[in-house]
Amino acid sequence: MRAQQASAAQVGIICAIAAYTMWGIAPIYFKQLTVLPAAEILMHRVIWSVLVLVGLIAGLKQWAKVAAALRNKKVMQVLFVAGILLGANWLLFIWAVNNDHILDASLGYYINPLINVFLGRLFLGERLRTFQRVAVVLAIVGVAILIFSYGRVPWIALILAGSFSIYGILRKQVAVDSLPGLFIETLMLSPLAIGYWLLFGSEYSNLFNNDASLNMLILAAGVVTTAPLLCFTAAARRIMYSTLGFLQYIGPTLMFVLAVYLYDEPLDEARLITFGFVWLALAVFSVDSLIAYKKQRKALRASVQAAKSISETQTS
């Protein structure tokens, strides 16, 4: 049993690294599509994702879960709002990448877990531990330094982080697996995508006018969307959520490296100080998560041992 658990954990870690690596290097893919407007790239991402997801759901036999969600009016309402948020998040990310704001996108996904904690306190009534409060304050200080230095709010980072955090809170409210949920969300966005294609599509909207390499990149949008999600789902089922939380920083770290060393985005002193505060906040946040996890494990072992002792006493 332990050997099976260890093997499953190894597979889970590999899947998590693969998922966050794919998300982290996604800017390389979107940079190849700069000839298209961001909205048109989003359009292709939605349409081809729906087709890929149809195949995956059929192959994994999850149509029953899709049907159950479709019959629930409340679930559909939440998924509709979640889908709009997800589409807006995708659109802003694509625009940021193709307009040389990868550093802002990286900052957004770094502060995303901290905003998750803040919104959990605000909307779900979750209590913040001392170190969590310290981490949130450090992140706020970092963002404030950027605001005072530039005289403007880092809106790309904040909207990316905020929209994805709210999306996560909404998805927590409905008992729908990630794959059927993503399928329904993209399916509800598809009429908007098709309408954009017909009414506002650029000269590249007619795939018959494009060369094969551009069409291959366009069609790959579905795989680029679904492949990391599948890896993430596989990882979430096999490893602890705390481990998954530590590995999530692979994505924004890769974006940071790409922005600075591949695409030569300016990293001035104020922005570097902001990243420094955010990195420090994440270090505090991660240590707090590790301490809390160890306490939970210790309490669980104690309760199991106590139950075992009571059972043995009753038996004797």
Side-chain angles (χ1 to χ4, degrees):
M1 179 65 73
R2 288 183 178 178
Q4 290 177 343
Q5 290 176 341
S7 177
Q10 289 176 350
V11 172
I13 289 173
I14 292 171
C15 289
I17 292 173
Y20 289 121
T21 299
M22 284 187 278
W23 277 323
I25 63 174
I28 297 176
Y29 166 75
F30 290 114
K31 281 286 190 182
Q32 308 307 306
L33 292 173
T34 51
V35 295
L36 302 179
E40 192 160 322
I41 298 173
L42 174 64
M43 172 199 81
H44 285 294
R45 190 173 186 179
V46 169
I47 292 171
W48 304 119
S49 292
V50 168
L51 296 179
V52 171
L53 288 165
V54 165
L56 289 172
I57 290 173
L60 296 172
K61 299 179 180 179
Q62 295 198 12
W63 285 116
K65 295 180 180 179
V66 173
L70 291 174
R71 288 193 296 267
N72 191 316
K73 184 179 179 180
K74 182 180 178 181
V75 167
M76 291 299 294
Q77 290 172 340
V78 173
L79 288 180
F80 175 74
V81 177
I84 295 295
L85 278 172
L86 187 61
N89 184 275
W90 284 353
L91 178 61
L92 181 56
F93 176 75
I94 294 166
W95 181 89
V97 168
N98 289 353
N99 286 273
D100 301 322
H101 292 289
I102 300 176
L103 273 177
D104 290 323
S106 171
L107 179 62
Y109 290 116
Y110 269 129
I111 65 177
N112 176 246
L114 301 175
I115 290 186
N116 285 344
V117 170
F118 177 74
L119 292 181
R121 175 69 181 89
L122 201 60
F123 294 111
L124 304 179
E126 298 177 354
R127 296 186 61 183
L128 300 186
R129 297 185 293 269
T130 301
F131 282 164
Q132 287 179 324
R133 289 196 292 269
V134 170
V136 170
V137 170
L138 285 171
I140 291 173
V141 170
V143 172
I145 289 172
L146 198 60
I147 292 172
F148 287 120
S149 299
Y150 283 99
R152 61 180 178 84
V153 176
W155 62 274
I156 295 173
L158 294 177
I159 292 177
L160 282 175
S163 60
F164 201 70
S165 294
I166 296 172
Y167 169 79
I169 288 177
L170 289 174
R171 286 302 306 270
K172 284 183 69 173
Q173 308 305 310
V174 291
V176 181
D177 287 351
S178 58
L179 199 59
L182 181 64
F183 169 68
I184 293 172
E185 288 163 358
T186 51
L187 186 65
M188 287 191 288
L189 289 175
S190 59
L192 295 175
I194 294 171
Y196 180 93
W197 196 347
L198 296 175
L199 298 175
F200 306 108
S202 70
E203 59 184 298
Y204 302 102
S205 293
N206 187 343
L207 300 183
F208 294 104
N209 293 335
N210 303 333
D211 58 44
S213 59
L214 179 57
N215 281 340
M216 288 295 292
L217 285 169
I218 289 173
L219 296 176
V223 176
V224 169
T225 301
T226 56
L229 179 69
L230 285 176
C231 290
F232 175 81
T233 304
R237 288 199 298 260
R238 290 174 171 84
I239 61 176
M240 298 176 296
Y241 197 72
S242 57
T243 304
L244 205 59
F246 292 129
L247 293 174
Q248 74 180 335
Y249 303 126
I250 292 174
T253 301
L254 287 173
M255 290 182 201
F256 180 89
V257 172
L258 289 174
V260 175
Y261 295 105
L262 184 60
Y263 298 116
D264 297 318
E265 290 190 14
L267 182 63
D268 51 55
E269 183 179 356
R271 186 169 290 185
L272 187 57
I273 291 173
T274 295
F275 271 100
F277 269 94
V278 170
W279 289 333
L280 180 59
L282 292 174
V284 172
F285 179 79
S286 299
V287 169
D288 174 77
S289 298
L290 185 60
I291 293 172
Y293 170 73
K294 288 183 176 180
K295 286 182 178 178
Q296 289 173 354
R297 286 288 299 269
K298 186 176 180 180
L300 180 61
R301 284 197 298 267
S303 63
V304 170
Q305 186 62 40
K308 185 178 179 182
S309 298
I310 292 173
S311 177
E312 290 175 350
T313 302
Q314 291 175 344
T315 302
S316 60

